[in-house]
Amino acid sequence: MNTLNPDQRAAVRHVDSPLLVLAGAGSGKTRVISHKIAYLVRDYGIAPSHIAAITFTNKAAKEMQERAKGLLGTRAEALLVSTFHALGVRILRQEARALGMKPGFSILDAADTTSLFQELAGNIDKARLRALQSRISLWKNSLVTAEAAQDLASEPLEVAAAQLYTAYERTLRAYQAVDFDDLIRLPVSLFEANEEVAARWRSRLWHVLVDEYQDTNRGQYRLLQLLTQGRDAFTVVGDDDQSIYAWRGASSDNLRLLKEDYPRLAVVKLEQNYRSTARILGAANTLIAHNPKLFEKKLWSQHGPGDALHIQACRDGDHEAEWVVSRLSAHRFERRTQFSDYAILYRGNHQARAFEQQLRAQRIPYVISGGQSFFDRSEIKDITAYLRLLLNPDDDPAFIRAVTTPKRGIGGASLEALGRAAGRRQMSLFASLRAPGLGDELPPRQYTALREFGDFIQRSAHRAEREPAGEVLNDLITAIGYETWLFSTHEAREAESKWANVRDFGEWMAKKGAEENKTLLELAQSIALLSLLDKNEGAENAVQLATLHAVKGLEFRHVFLVGVEEGLLPHRDSLEPAKLEEERRLMYVGITRAEASLTLSWCEKRRQGKEWLPREPSRFIAEMGEAARKTIEQRNTIPDAGVALNRAAGLRAMLTGKKPGVTESA
């Protein structure tokens, strides 16, 4: 407790009523949550198994578990620390029968659901399909059923979405599958309909802590209510100034609802920032003051004033990238910092290309956030299709992918005939393989190939329940001839890369199975929620490129916030009041990532298609305060990037003891 400030201690010790901790950026919220867990166990006498800590990312859950272990030792292993979706999976696996599902149901990932929507919607363009998917996802997050959506739909897009929603739900049930939104929606539906099940879970969880509460949607808030009903013992930690995910269903209204639904709610504000200098916080506070406030707070720091903010006008996007990377390089040699101390942040992914080109040109290592997930790679999805099928033979999308990859003489015509046979019998594709009379409906060669495939899956499933995960997976990959198929269907270099990924996946699953003492079937149950990205996070000494949405929760010594101009930040499609407030919060998130220095840049013109369009600095720069306004009024003289490059070369020479331009002989 002595390491906490007074407000942090108050948040840790409050247990008499529901608590909202308003935790400003960099105010030590993870420390508060971990210390509160320790306080509930050591001082308040609650068993660790009766405490749940819920967050939004695997990385945050892992960090919370490690911090709790540092305070509680091995007792922390009994805590339930997970993401909202992982908790939903746990509830649904244990209570599947109450929902009319089997425990081995499948979780469809984004690619699976898109394919399913495409199949159900027919021949429509991708933009419309995305719009329909998004509407259905928002309905699910708001706990609107397919039936209710039919009544709510008014405009043509909503009417089409409601019809698609009904067909989509019917197909999911037939596949014994759920999507990510269902991992919250279905537990809520179950708890509301079945008091016995809800009471059983409430008896397990005596205190629930929720991180990043401002990012919750309606379904997640309702799940929290149902888990804590009667006891109302919960602590939620969030920051209304960092609510930036409305586009995916998050509702900052959940903060307001807390005040209405829980009259005894206590509020503790964490306003001391441990991350940034006073100048950075001053700009952030002044900017966000332009938004209406549900709760007033003002960040402050003991780190001193720090470096002045630098705001730079550039000629165009290419010049901006050249200037930023040159300044970053010079700054690094001046301060003798690491590449990983720097981040280049932007509003949209399309802005990254010019910066990547410049970083490569200057041989500066970088990592880019929001790139393709390991599990989105086609070769990994091929293998995980087999794992999904071992777990749930009724998973038709997994069956189709597995039976056709690698090719085994089973084509579209055979699958179509099998699909018709399965439809007549009201069975899944896999179950219909053993249906009487199927051999009369398919050509002998295809029927034999399908039966052999079915037998192979059954044998593998039997082993997957009993034998070491790594051994079974390795044998499966060998048996299907995946390596040979890769090298026969892809260019050698691409095949080598894909095969290396498959080997990495196999080694990782083997290690995970051994560490957690889980069979391959048990690991397959959560395959859609696993992330290999955790193993390399923070390990690389490289500049971070990231969108503002992707960087929340992170911090860097030196931040370059680029493209801070009207049309980009705020985005041209977000100028109505509610959306403009969210754009301002996005800018606030960017500013508060910086610890020691913050540099903003904007362009006087940008190319759009074949045209050059004039640009103006973002209104948010002027809203950052007097110093920023003066910088804009002065309109910095646009520097020659070559000057910065020469300066960097001079500094490099000074550090290495060599003259600029002189290279060592071989």
Side-chain angles (χ1 to χ4, degrees):
M1 284 290 183
N2 293 333
T3 65
L4 305 178
N5 68 39
D7 292 328
Q8 290 173 330
R9 282 198 294 274
V12 166
R13 287 177 171 153
H14 184 90
V15 291
D16 297 331
S17 68
L19 174 66
L20 167 61
V21 181
L22 278 173
S27 62
K29 66 182 178 63
T30 308
R31 170 187 271 200
V32 166
I33 294 171
S34 55
H35 275 74
K36 180 144 195 176
I37 291 170
Y39 177 76
L40 290 170
V41 172
R42 287 196 307 228
D43 297 69
Y44 211 69
I46 298 179
S49 57
H50 288 315
I51 297 172
I54 308 171
T55 186
F56 279 83
T57 66
N58 290 329
K59 182 186 175 188
K62 186 177 178 182
E63 182 185 355
M64 209 175 288
Q65 184 84 53
E66 287 173 353
R67 290 207 188 192
K69 189 174 181 181
L71 294 167
L72 290 172
T74 56
R75 283 191 292 174
E77 293 171 8
L79 295 167
L80 198 168
V81 182
S82 77
T83 64
F84 264 107
H85 291 94
L87 175 62
V89 171
R90 181 180 293 219
I91 294 169
L92 293 181
R93 294 280 183 220
Q94 293 183 24
E95 310 294 348
R97 286 183 178 80
L99 280 164
M101 298 164 62
K102 59 184 181 184
F105 62 82
S106 300
I107 303 170
L108 301 190
D109 64 15
D112 292 325
T113 54
T114 298
S115 298
L116 188 51
F117 275 118
Q118 185 73 67
E119 184 184 322
L120 294 170
N123 189 25
I124 64 171
D125 66 76
K126 289 182 179 179
R128 182 169 174 80
L129 185 68
R130 281 196 300 269
L132 292 171
Q133 264 189 277
S134 176
R135 180 64 267 177
I136 292 169
S137 179
L138 289 171
W139 273 330
K140 284 194 169 193
N141 287 331
S142 300
L143 305 177
V144 175
T145 63
E147 295 75 19
Q150 298 275 6
D151 298 330
L152 287 173
S154 53
E155 59 181 49
L157 180 74
E158 288 188 340
V159 172
Q163 292 170 346
L164 184 58
Y165 189 2
T166 300
Y168 176 60
E169 284 299 290
R170 190 167 55 243
T171 307
L172 285 178
R173 283 195 295 274
Y175 287 177
Q176 282 283 301
V178 300
D179 62 22
F180 267 37
D181 297 326
D182 288 332
L183 299 180
I184 306 301
R185 184 180 69 89
L186 290 177
V188 168
S189 174
L190 173 63
F191 288 168
E192 289 182 335
N194 192 322
E195 177 56 30
E196 182 184 343
V197 172
R200 183 161 61 243
W201 279 88
R202 283 196 287 269
S203 69
R204 294 181 189 178
L205 303 179
W206 291 14
H207 199 99
V208 177
L209 303 99
V210 179
D211 190 15
E212 302 287 7
Y213 176 75
Q214 77 282 347
D215 293 338
T216 55
N217 58 39
R218 178 62 187 153
Q220 287 158 339
Y221 176 49
R222 184 65 183 137
L223 182 59
L224 172 67
Q225 286 185 304
L226 290 164
L227 283 170
T228 60
Q229 192 172 294
R231 193 179 287 112
D232 294 345
F234 63 78
T235 300
V236 297
V237 183
D239 182 4
D240 50 338
D241 291 332
Q242 295 187 70
S243 178
I244 58 172
Y245 295 120
W247 52 277
R248 70 180 190 196
S251 175
S252 55
D253 268 359
N254 285 350
L255 286 161
R256 179 182 53 78
L257 286 172
L258 272 179
K259 293 177 73 174
E260 295 176 6
D261 294 341
Y262 297 93
R264 296 177 60 240
L265 179 76
V267 178
V268 173
K269 298 178 187 179
L270 304 183
E271 296 172 295
Q272 182 175 358
N273 176 284
Y274 293 92
R275 176 187 300 158
S276 308
T277 62
R279 281 197 175 104
I280 292 169
L281 292 182
N285 285 331
T286 308
L287 169 77
I288 205 64
H290 289 80
N291 273 3
K293 292 283 190 178
L294 187 63
F295 301 97
E296 286 292 339
K297 70 176 186 304
K298 191 171 184 178
L299 298 181
W300 59 276
S301 168
Q302 292 181 331
H303 288 329
D307 294 348
L309 275 60
H310 187 91
I311 302 170
Q312 185 63 51
C314 296
R315 285 191 299 270
D316 54 41
D318 288 338
H319 178 254
E320 179 184 42
E322 189 179 3
W323 183 85
V324 164
V325 174
S326 298
R327 182 176 173 90
L328 185 155
S329 183
H331 189 277
R332 176 175 167 269
F333 278 105
E334 282 177 4
R335 308 291 181 96
R336 302 196 181 195
T337 51
Q338 300 292 312
F339 286 122
S340 55
D341 290 330
Y342 295 87
I344 300 174
L345 311 180
Y346 37 79
R347 174 65 174 81
N349 277 311
H350 66 279
Q351 294 169 257
R353 183 183 58 82
F355 294 96
E356 285 192 80
Q357 289 173 340
Q358 282 297 322
L359 288 163
R360 282 198 298 266
Q362 297 195 34
R363 297 181 181 179
I364 295 174
Y366 68 91
V367 290
I368 188 160
S369 215
Q372 186 185 38
S373 161
F374 189 88
F375 275 90
D376 286 338
R377 298 176 191 274
S378 62
E379 61 273 20
I380 303 304
K381 291 178 74 65
D382 289 342
I383 304 304
T384 56
Y386 281 86
L387 301 187
R388 286 166 47 192
L389 196 56
L390 297 183
L391 177 68
N392 176 16
D394 295 330
D395 187 337
D396 281 356
F399 176 89
I400 291 167
R401 185 163 193 142
V403 81
T404 57
T405 312
K407 302 291 184 189
R408 46 175 56 84
I410 300 166
S414 300
L415 288 173
E416 211 172 303
L418 181 63
R420 285 195 297 270
R424 281 194 298 274
R425 294 169 172 82
Q426 292 293 292
M427 291 178 170
S428 68
L429 295 173
F430 187 88
S432 64
L433 292 181
R434 297 195 174 280
L438 182 67
D440 300 329
E441 302 175 43
L442 293 170
R445 189 168 61 84
Q446 281 85 347
Y447 175 67
T448 301
L450 283 166
R451 284 297 298 263
E452 287 176 353
F453 175 75
D455 291 343
F456 168 68
I457 292 298
Q458 285 191 317
R459 289 195 304 273
S460 299
H462 181 79
R463 290 186 62 198
E465 280 186 291
R466 296 163 176 80
E467 299 177 27
E471 187 179 312
V472 179
L473 181 57
N474 184 60
D475 288 351
L476 185 150
I477 293 168
T478 302
I480 65 176
Y482 194 76
E483 181 183 9
T484 303
W485 177 77
L486 273 180
F487 280 89
S488 65
T489 54
H490 297 80
E491 293 288 336
R493 184 176 293 181
E494 184 183 5
E496 285 169 6
S497 173
K498 288 177 176 290
W499 181 239
N501 287 334
V502 171
R503 286 201 312 271
D504 284 350
F505 176 64
E507 289 168 7
W508 184 74
M509 289 286 279
K511 182 182 176 187
K512 195 169 182 66
E515 286 176 351
E516 299 181 10
N517 194 28
K518 286 185 176 179
T519 65
L520 188 60
L521 213 59
E522 289 170 328
L523 290 177
Q525 289 189 338
S526 56
I527 197 72
L529 296 176
L530 296 176
S531 171
L532 288 184
L533 299 178
D534 288 348
K535 67 178 183 181
N536 289 324
E537 279 180 354
E540 210 168 336
N541 180 25
V543 174
Q544 174 78 60
L545 292 178
T547 64
L548 292 168
H549 282 106
V551 84
K552 190 158 75 68
L554 304 181
E555 56 189 42
F556 305 91
R557 290 290 296 160
H558 309 288
V559 167
F560 289 84
L561 185 46
V562 301
V564 188
E565 60 207 48
E566 291 294 307
L568 271 179
L569 185 62
H571 193 273
R572 62 179 178 275
D573 296 334
S574 300
L575 299 181
E576 61 185 71
K579 289 184 177 179
L580 186 61
E581 288 170 17
E582 179 145 336
E583 292 289 298
R584 189 175 284 114
R585 292 194 291 269
L586 201 54
M587 176 80 170
Y588 175 84
V589 165
I591 293 170
T592 54
R593 297 314 92 196
E595 297 175 1
S597 77
L598 175 66
T599 302
L600 285 74
S601 62
W602 62 281
C603 295
E604 296 194 325
K605 61 179 180 179
R606 271 192 199 272
R607 186 188 290 276
Q608 191 168 311
K610 294 182 179 179
E611 287 185 273
W612 284 99
L613 299 179
R615 294 286 190 168
E616 291 293 327
S618 170
R619 68 192 74 189
F620 297 154
I621 296 179
E623 290 178 1
M624 287 164 60
E626 189 63 29
R629 279 195 293 273
K630 283 181 179 176
T631 308
I632 288 300
E633 288 162 10
Q634 290 165 3
R635 290 292 178 101
N636 289 12
T637 53
I638 298 172
D640 183 349
V643 173
L645 281 171
N646 290 336
R647 188 179 179 203
L651 288 164
R652 190 182 298 112
M654 181 179 71
L655 292 171
T656 59
K658 291 182 290 183
K659 291 182 180 179
V662 177
T663 57
E664 291 186 21
S665 57

